[in-house]
Amino acid sequence: MSKMWQISVPGSTANLGPGFDSIGLGLSLYLQLSVTLQEQWKIIHLDDNGPKEFELEEHLLYVIAKKTADLYGQQLPACRVEMASELPLARGLGSSAAVIVAGIELANQVCELELTIQDKLNLSSQIEGHPDNATASVLGGLTISSMDDNGVVDTFHINDIDASFVVYVPDVELKTSESRSVLPEQFNRSYAVHASANANMLAASLMVRDFERAGRYMEADLFHEPFRAKLIPGYDEIRMAAKSNGAYGTALSGAGPTMISIIPSAIASDFVELMKKQFPEHQIILTNADEHGVQVNECVKRLL
């Protein structure tokens, strides 16, 4: 018999408008790993096109798992990893953050590191470079976070987000590095004050679950969306159609190109059907806030 670990990590959306690099939300779209110890490393992706094996040294999961084990002075043992993901790459749904959190958790389990939640928040956010997606994948729910110069993360964590979310995934990739290249290097004081006030109001609205007000401030970002909008297929059209169909508000998911609406759960089915008719070129997915963050199920696998 041998151990098997089932690791589940939620994807995430970040920013929700003006909450730039600090607000994240875990979504019920998942990266799933099955991990067993064996003599040689093997990472296999499972998708609709069948299994695909990847070069080990180039795979982010392995790089992060090894980095984590090395950081704690442990030798990472060889594993067979089967991965299945509901998160499209480079679309703004936290695919890289989910792999980072999964790699840390893999090392935590197979090396028996006994990492705390705070350890996972700090390390994943340091690797990702900002705490929005990483904290949401570790904790689930809504996270409002800050990371200091020493890489220590401070997070407000709110669960029970009683609303639904709709994501609009175009058939194009947008690398975060490309979307950051269009942002200004600095803002003048009055502009920055206005932008910061909108971010504060978004955070406060989400914390008290005033989703109607939150939706208004999702659409009042000044930090990044005015500059990224030109890179996003259907940006203005989706925002207008979502509002007319009953959404509280719509924003970029992370750096895009995916967009996300927050909507009343009562209208979810009708809303999705209306938006699918209007935007057939997008993959439109109804989802909810994940409530649990990264989860591990350890079991015993019988050897035949």
Side-chain angles (χ1 to χ4, degrees):
M1 294 188 292
S2 65
K3 284 185 180 180
M4 173 186 286
W5 294 267
Q6 303 280 355
I7 300 173
S8 174
V9 184
S12 57
T13 187
N15 302 334
L16 291 177
F20 190 57
D21 280 2
S22 59
I23 292 180
L25 179 76
L27 299 174
S28 54
L29 301 168
Y30 296 96
L31 171 66
Q32 307 276 3
L33 272 61
S34 294
V35 181
T36 52
L37 299 177
Q38 65 173 27
E39 291 184 0
Q40 290 186 325
W41 266 95
K42 186 172 288 190
I43 298 178
I44 301 168
H45 284 216
L46 305 175
D47 59 30
D48 293 339
N49 298 317
K52 182 179 179 182
E53 192 170 339
F54 280 74
E55 290 293 329
L56 185 62
E57 300 296 335
E58 299 174 0
H59 201 288
L60 182 60
L61 181 79
Y62 172 78
V63 170
I64 299 302
K66 188 174 187 309
K67 179 184 180 74
T68 303
D70 290 346
L71 185 64
Y72 288 89
Q74 298 295 316
Q75 181 73 33
L76 184 69
C79 299
R80 174 186 174 91
V81 181
E82 295 183 355
M83 301 178 64
S85 180
E86 298 174 315
L87 307 172
L89 296 175
R91 299 296 204 282
L93 288 171
S95 58
S96 64
V99 174
I100 289 168
V101 171
I104 292 169
E105 193 59 59
L106 188 157
N108 184 41
Q109 296 299 320
V110 302
C111 296
E112 299 180 352
L113 301 179
E114 299 184 355
L115 299 181
T116 66
I117 293 294
Q118 188 65 51
D119 293 332
K120 297 174 191 178
L121 293 174
N122 292 346
L123 185 53
S124 60
S125 297
Q126 290 163 16
I127 295 169
E128 180 76 351
H130 37 86
D132 45 9
N133 294 102
T135 55
S137 282
V138 172
L139 296 171
L142 176 73
T143 58
I144 303 171
S145 308
S146 175
M147 183 167 63
D148 68 18
D149 291 340
N150 296 315
V152 177
V153 174
D154 193 11
T155 298
F156 277 100
H157 178 219
I158 301 100
N159 258 335
D160 303 317
I161 304 299
D162 186 21
S164 293
F165 298 86
V166 175
V167 294
Y168 315 88
V169 186
D171 190 25
V172 294
E173 293 186 2
L174 179 62
K175 299 294 186 183
T176 302
S177 57
E178 179 185 350
S179 65
R180 284 192 182 270
S181 70
V182 301
L183 301 182
E185 289 294 324
Q186 58 187 18
F187 302 118
N188 67 44
R189 181 182 299 175
S190 61
Y191 187 99
V193 168
H194 191 183
S196 180
N198 290 349
N200 294 340
M201 290 297 290
L202 172 67
S205 301
L206 290 168
M207 290 181 74
V208 300
R209 298 169 178 80
D210 183 344
F211 299 125
E212 186 172 348
R213 188 180 291 187
R216 191 160 74 244
Y217 283 101
M218 280 174 66
E219 297 187 345
D221 171 63
L222 296 174
F223 284 124
H224 70 116
E225 292 201 17
F227 314 102
R228 287 172 164 167
K230 62 186 177 183
L231 303 176
I232 309 303
Y235 177 85
D236 290 319
E237 295 83 357
I238 289 173
R239 283 184 21 142
M240 292 174 60
K243 182 65 75 175
S244 67
N245 288 329
Y248 293 125
T250 303
L252 291 183
S253 182
T258 293
M259 298 181 70
I260 185 166
S261 294
I262 180 171
I263 66 172
S265 296
I267 71 167
S269 296
D270 290 341
F271 180 91
V272 169
E273 289 308 309
L274 287 168
M275 295 301 282
K276 282 183 175 179
K277 289 178 183 177
Q278 290 179 257
F279 301 97
E281 70 280 8
H282 284 70
Q283 182 184 6
I284 298 178
I285 304 169
L286 175 65
T287 185
N288 296 294
D290 170 80
E291 295 287 317
H292 305 291
V294 59
Q295 296 286 293
V296 181
N297 180 30
E298 183 179 328
C299 55
V300 175
K301 181 181 179 182
R302 289 187 176 276
L303 301 176
L304 299 180

